[in-house]
Amino acid sequence: MKMKHNLYIGLFACAIALTACDSAINNFMVDDTVALLTPGLVKESVYLGLDNPTEVYVLKSGKGFSGANVSISVDNEVLATYNATVDEPIAAMPEDCYTITVSSLSLSPDDYQLPFRISWNRDRLAAVLADNPNVGIPLRLKVGSEGVNVNEDRLTTIIQPVIDIPLVSLSQSGYQIGLMPTRRTSLEELVYMNVQANFIPERDIDYTLSIDASLIEEYNQAHGTDYKLLPAEAYKIDLEGWKIRKSMKTNRFHFTFCREALIPEDGPSRFGEYILPIRISSVSLSDVNPEKSYVLYTVSVIASRIDKSKWSIYSCSSDIRSIANWEKVEGNYPPANLIDGTTNTHWRTVWSIKDSSDPRVQFPVEVVIDLGETRDLYKVGIDAPTGTNRRYFNSKSGVIEVSDSPEGPWTKVSDWIYPSKTTSAYEFDVDPASARYVKFVVSESFDGTTKMAISELTLWGE
C-alpha cells in the first residue's frame, strides 16, 4: 500500500514538472508576429508564354496561438520613400500590366506562410519594360487583427518584374567525363542526369530524348579528338516518358551502361574512347535551352601497358649481330633492345654491308616478338632513340601483324605512319586482337635506305 501511495506522488510530481516546463518554454517564445517574407525591392521573373502568377508571401512566426487577417494594396508612398534613398528610381507600374488576384488572406493559428498573387498582362508588360525596365508595383501589408505583433520593418515591398523566357535544360551539359569500366565493374550500371526548368511549372512537363551522333563529329572536329559513338548494345535508355512534375523544377532521367558489350567475360575488350551523345529533343511546355540541350557522356575503356617480363625476340630480319666482328664494328645494338623497357638503348639495322642484294639491307625489315603467352592487343607505341643517337631514327611506315604461331598465318591489325623524323614517340591503335606473336614490319624509311634505329616497342592491352 505504501508503494502504491509513493507511485501516485511520483506521477503527480512529474505532471507538475512537465506543466512548469511547458510554461517556461512559452515564456521564452514571442507572441505571433506578421511580416512580408521578402521586403524591399524584389526582382521577379515573368515568363513569356506562361500564365504563372507571381506570389508574394506573408509570414506568421511565434507561438502560433493566434490567427490574423492580412491584405496588401498598392501604395505609391512606398515608392517615394524608396526613391529618396537610391540613385536609380523606380517608376510606378501601369495598372493595365497586372492584377492582384489574391489581395487578402486569413492566417489560421497553424499557418506559417501564405501567398498573395499577382497575375500579368504579359504582352502589355513586355511593351512597358521595353521602354523602361525600372518600373515596379509598390505594395504595403496591412494587418486587420488584434493580438498579433507587426514587424514594422517588413511591411512594404516593390515587385520589379523582369521578362524572361521559360526554358528546360540539362543541369550538367556539354562534355562530361563519365565511366571508366574494368573487368571488375558491375555488368550493368545506372547513370543519372538532371533536367531542370528555370520556372515552377503549373502542370507536368513531358520531355523526350534522342541520341545525336552528329554532336560527336562536331566535338571531334573542334577539339582534334577521335571519340567514337558508344555502341548501341553498350547502353539501354528510354527516350520517351520523362516528366518534370507540376510544381517541381527538376527531374532525373537515367540510362543503363552494359559493361559486357565493351568488356566481355571472354574475349578481348573493345578498348577506346566513346561518347554517348544525349539531347533533349522536345518538351511539352516552354522551350529547350539551346546552350544546355545536350550532354556528351564519355565511356573510356583504357588499355594498360603489357608487361614485358615474358617477352623475347623470336626472329629479326636485320640483326647487327649477324655481321662478323659486330662488337668491334658497330657496337651492341641487338633487337632485344626493342623490348628491354628503357629508351636508353636501341636496336640498329644492318647497314655496313655494301652488297645491296643482301636481304639484311632490304625492305621489309621485320622483327617477330614472342609475348610468352596470348594477350589481347589494342595499341602500339614506337620510341625513337634519345640523346645523340636520335639522328639514327629513320623508320617512316609499316604494318603490325599478329599470329598464334611464329610461322603464321599472320593477320594485319594496323598500318602505321610515323609523323616525322623529329617526333620522339608515336602511339597508334590497332584492331583489337588476341595473339601470342607480334610482327613489327618497317616497309619504308625517310631517306629510302634501311639504315634505321628504334629504341623501344610498347604494347597496350590486357
Side-chain angles (χ1 to χ4, degrees), residues 309-325:
S309 61
K310 296 181 180 181
W311 293 14
S312 62
I313 300 296
Y314 179 81
S315 65
C316 178
S317 66
S318 188
D319 187 346
I320 200 170
R321 295 174 301 176
S322 65
I323 304 174
N325 298 320

Side-chain angles (χ1 to χ4, degrees), residues 118-136:
I118 302 172
S119 62
W120 301 97
N121 180 345
R122 282 167 166 75
D123 292 338
R124 172 61 177 149
L125 177 63
V128 168
L129 293 180
D131 291 334
N132 180 17
N134 292 321
V135 294

Side-chain angles (χ1 to χ4, degrees), residues 117-266:
R117 286 189 172 88
I118 302 172
S119 62
W120 301 97
N121 180 345
R122 282 167 166 75
D123 292 338
R124 172 61 177 149
L125 177 63
V128 168
L129 293 180
D131 291 334
N132 180 17
N134 292 321
V135 294
I137 308 173
L139 299 173
R140 184 180 295 275
L141 176 68
K142 296 181 179 179
V143 180
S145 301
E146 297 181 358
V148 293
N149 294 326
V150 176
N151 188 334
E152 299 292 342
D153 295 329
R154 303 175 67 90
L155 293 181
T156 62
T157 186
I158 301 172
I159 303 301
Q160 185 180 18
V162 178
I163 293 295
D164 208 343
I165 298 174
L167 296 172
V168 171
S169 62
L170 284 159
S171 299
Q172 290 184 305
S173 61
Y175 180 87
Q176 184 175 342
I177 296 176
L179 295 173
M180 297 179 66
T182 67
R183 290 196 179 276
R184 295 185 295 274
T185 302
S186 300
L187 290 177
E188 292 191 344
E189 187 167 350
L190 290 177
V191 178
Y192 291 90
M193 297 184 182
N194 289 331
V195 173
Q196 63 184 18
N198 64 349
F199 61 98
I200 299 177
E202 293 198 315
R203 62 178 184 272
D204 289 351
I205 302 176
D206 299 312
Y207 64 93
T208 61
L209 307 170
S210 62
I211 306 301
D212 189 348
S214 68
L215 294 171
I216 302 177
E217 182 178 354
E218 294 173 6
Y219 186 87
N220 284 337
Q221 289 179 353
H223 297 85
T225 51
D226 191 28
Y227 283 100
K228 295 172 285 188
L229 176 66
L230 186 67
E233 60 271 23
Y235 66 92
K236 295 182 288 187
I237 186 172
D238 292 327
L239 299 178
E240 299 181 351
W242 302 103
K243 295 179 183 290
I244 299 177
R245 295 295 183 181
K246 173 184 176 181
S247 301
M248 304 293 290
K249 295 182 69 174
T250 63
N251 172 254
R252 291 200 304 173
F253 70 87
H254 68 269
F255 71 89
T256 303
F257 171 68
C258 306
R259 186 263 288 174
E260 200 165 24
L262 298 181
I263 307 176
E265 294 298 310
D266 298 312

Side-chain angles (χ1 to χ4, degrees), residues 397-414:
S397 65
V399 298
I400 300 294
E401 299 179 22
V402 298
S403 176
D404 291 328
S405 167
E407 307 302 327
W410 295 93
T411 301
K412 185 175 77 170
V413 292
S414 180

